[in-house]
Amino acid sequence: MPLAAALLLLLSCSRVPAAPDPAPPTVVLLSWDTTRADALSCYADQRHWRPEVTGPDARTPTADALARGGVRFAWALAHAPTTLSSHTSVMSGRDPHGHRVPRNGFPVPADLPLLAERLSAAGWDSLAVVGASTLSADMGLGRGFRVYDDQVRTRVRHRFEERADVVTDRALALVDQRRQDRPLFLFVHYFDPHSPWDSAPAELRATFLDDPAGTTDPGPLVEAVRAGTLTDEQSRRARAAYLAEVTWTDQQAGRLLDGLRSRGLLDDALVVLLADHGEALDDPGLAPYGHPLDADLPAIHVPLILHGTGRFALPAGTVVDSPVRLLDVGSTVLSAAGLPGGPLGEGQDLAPLWRAAAAGQPPPATPPSFAEATKPIPLQRADAWNNLPFDRSVAHGEHFLTATPWEGLGPRLYRLGAGQPAVEDPAAAAALTAALAAWDAAAPGHREEGMSRETEEGLRALGYVE
Ligand SMILES: [Zn+2]
């Protein structure tokens, strides 16, 4: 191009008004409590449950559709098998040694920067609805939200919770109070997959169970496992009852997304689906039918799906096989939404992983992911980080290693794969043992509960503290 013509083009371009900044996306963060990855049908290739026990398969069409249209992380790992600590990792970008919430009932430190604060500061209208009192606003995760709806009214044992259909109703009602001149950040927490498995309507339970009116309490199953008398039929039935709860949650998450779509809120959006931790069923070697005692894969391997729409679309049907950390979710969301200010906490943007997977290229290296159980509480030490004696694990590359100090069990090495198969690889075992020891050596000091005894007793009576 002649110089004069180039200059003319440059001048004419400089006179064109700058295009308005494209509208930022709606950000939707869906958390399903107590949902192990293999409770979703799109995770059928990553199943841990015993194959000799047959029964109904997982059935989660909402989650499957999100995965088909976006990115599914096959090996997403929680850092603690308990609700408040794990959600604090998602919201702060730090594992328990970084955010210092050892388990339920310990309020989030007031100086810990949170995802909702970042999004709200950048102009988002941040709204939340939670389904259980373990995430009550008193615990501190409401910081940064304009509205944090924790009005859970149904008492179940030592806590309050609310069914998924009520949570969806509350979320859609809250969305209708959003600020129309701002992008929306919506966090919705569904508690139903947590035991007892009695939330799903009878007609849905009947598609999983021959006796939908039967017991939903895992207590007798725990006793049966300990007595060595659990039958395959009991095992099959328990899995079916649990999967019915996950399907019920999937239906209600689908109704929520339909409601957002009909309001035009999913035209340009990022939707994240994750779980805070998994659940031990009758998995060998684990404390049966529960989660806080184990850091093995059934307790910490969780679904993580990221789905973008419109200008934020992601490569559809992409599967990332590298292990990733729940603490990376916040940084990934901030980056995908175009926010300046860098990552959240210690999290890393996961975009390079799905770009490599979509292009068929080798994945970039990922850091190790650490996890620790949060019980048995009486065995915590008064002079050290509360969870140091408990079951712990680290995943890195293709390997997974666990240790259980309180039981005197040293490191055991596995392949990071379906069924957590044991492997012999002394070099890998030594490397992961050293990594886990370094993580523990950098743990914070012992944390006393952050409230007065009177307050704690009052909260305990109301079901806010385990
Ligand atoms: Zn939970």
Side-chain angles (χ1 to χ4, degrees):
M1 183 186 294
L3 182 59
L7 281 172
L8 192 61
L9 182 64
L10 196 62
L11 288 169
S12 65
C13 284
S14 68
R15 285 196 296 271
V16 175
D21 288 334
T26 301
V27 176
V28 182
L29 175 57
L30 304 176
S31 172
W32 300 4
D33 216 288
T34 321
T35 302
R36 44 193 279 170
D38 57 12
L40 272 56
S41 31
C42 52
Y43 281 82
D45 291 342
Q46 286 85 35
R47 276 184 197 157
H48 301 293
W49 64 47
R50 293 196 291 137
E52 64 271 25
V53 175
T54 58
D57 284 331
R59 195 195 313 150
T60 52
T62 301
D64 296 354
L66 290 174
R68 273 198 307 278
V71 178
R72 181 174 71 85
F73 295 88
W75 296 102
L77 301 168
H79 310 287
T82 192
T83 305
L84 180 62
S85 178
S86 189
H87 281 94
T88 305
S89 288
V90 172
M91 296 300 191
S92 72
R94 297 182 184 276
D95 66 32
H97 293 187
H99 63 53
R100 295 174 285 133
V101 176
R103 61 175 186 269
N104 293 338
F106 286 75
V108 175
D111 58 352
L112 191 70
L114 299 175
L115 177 63
E117 293 179 303
R118 288 281 297 274
L119 286 163
S120 292
W124 268 257
D125 190 24
S126 297
L127 309 174
V129 176
V130 298
S133 53
T134 38
L135 293 184
S136 157
D138 306 62
M139 293 298 131
L141 280 183
R143 186 153 41 85
F145 287 99
R146 183 171 66 84
V147 180
Y148 186 88
D149 175 358
D150 64 351
Q151 298 302 304
V152 288
R153 300 176 185 86
T154 306
R155 181 156 198 174
V156 181
R157 296 179 186 152
H158 55 262
R159 63 174 174 269
F160 286 80
E161 58 185 66
E162 210 59 90
R163 258 172 46 143
D165 52 343
V166 178
V167 168
T168 289
D169 289 344
R170 283 163 49 201
L172 290 173
L174 188 54
V175 164
D176 286 335
Q177 299 168 37
R178 71 189 181 279
R179 291 184 174 160
Q180 303 275 351
D181 59 341
R182 292 172 177 244
L184 171 68
F185 170 41
L186 179 66
F187 166 52
V188 181
H189 166 245
Y190 291 103
F191 196 67
D192 302 50
H194 197 290
S195 65
W197 305 308
D198 58 0
S199 296
E203 56 269 26
L204 171 58
R205 287 170 60 78
T207 67
F208 281 87
L209 295 158
D210 297 332
D211 59 337
T215 180
T216 57
D217 184 352
L221 301 172
V222 174
E223 297 305 315
V225 172
R226 288 180 179 152
T229 61
L230 186 81
T231 65
D232 280 358
E233 174 54 23
Q234 285 176 299
S235 179
R236 186 200 65 77
R237 191 187 180 288
R239 186 196 299 167
Y242 170 66
L243 291 179
E245 299 292 284
V246 176
T247 293
W248 163 242
T249 305
D250 183 89
Q251 288 182 357
Q252 291 306 314
R255 190 165 69 84
L256 173 65
L257 293 175
D258 286 346
L260 296 175
R261 196 174 293 112
S262 71
R263 289 161 173 80
L265 287 166
L266 295 189
D267 294 345
D268 293 300
L270 292 166
V271 179
V272 182
L273 168 61
L274 55 78
D276 59 346
H277 52 80
E279 177 82 322
L281 297 174
D282 60 348
D283 306 276
L286 273 64
Y289 298 106
H291 42 268
L293 282 159
D294 290 296
D296 290 70
L297 290 177
I300 64 159
H301 178 204
V302 293
L304 175 59
I305 298 168
L306 187 56
H307 181 103
T309 63
R311 292 180 294 101
F312 299 87
L314 301 174
T318 304
V319 178
V320 171
D321 289 319
S322 305
V324 300
R325 310 172 295 179
L326 275 191
L327 68 81
D328 292 321
V329 168
S331 295
T332 303
V333 166
L334 291 176
S335 174
L339 262 75
L344 181 72
E346 297 169 357
Q348 297 187 0
D349 182 4
L350 298 175
L353 288 172
W354 73 65
R355 289 194 191 112
Q361 295 168 350
T366 52
S369 184
F370 299 98
E372 60 183 13
T374 59
K375 290 182 178 176
I377 296 168
L379 296 183
Q380 69 180 358
R381 285 168 42 188
D383 62 345
W385 171 242
N386 307 55
N387 294 333
L388 276 186
F390 305 151
D391 197 33
R392 46 225 313 102
S393 64
V394 54
H396 196 210
E398 62 185 26
H399 290 116
F400 181 71
L401 180 130
T402 70
T404 318
W406 73 273
E407 291 189 308
L409 292 174
R412 290 93 71 195
L413 184 70
Y414 304 91
R415 187 166 62 77
L416 184 68
Q420 194 178 311
V423 294
E424 288 285 336
D425 186 333
L432 289 192
T433 300
L436 193 55
W439 185 59
D440 282 343
H446 186 81
R447 182 161 170 208
E448 300 291 340
E449 305 221 13
M451 50 190 137
S452 70
R453 179 60 56 186
E454 293 75 12
T455 304
E456 182 187 341
E457 291 304 320
L459 289 174
R460 193 184 302 279
L462 287 169
Y464 285 97
V465 181
E466 284 187 354

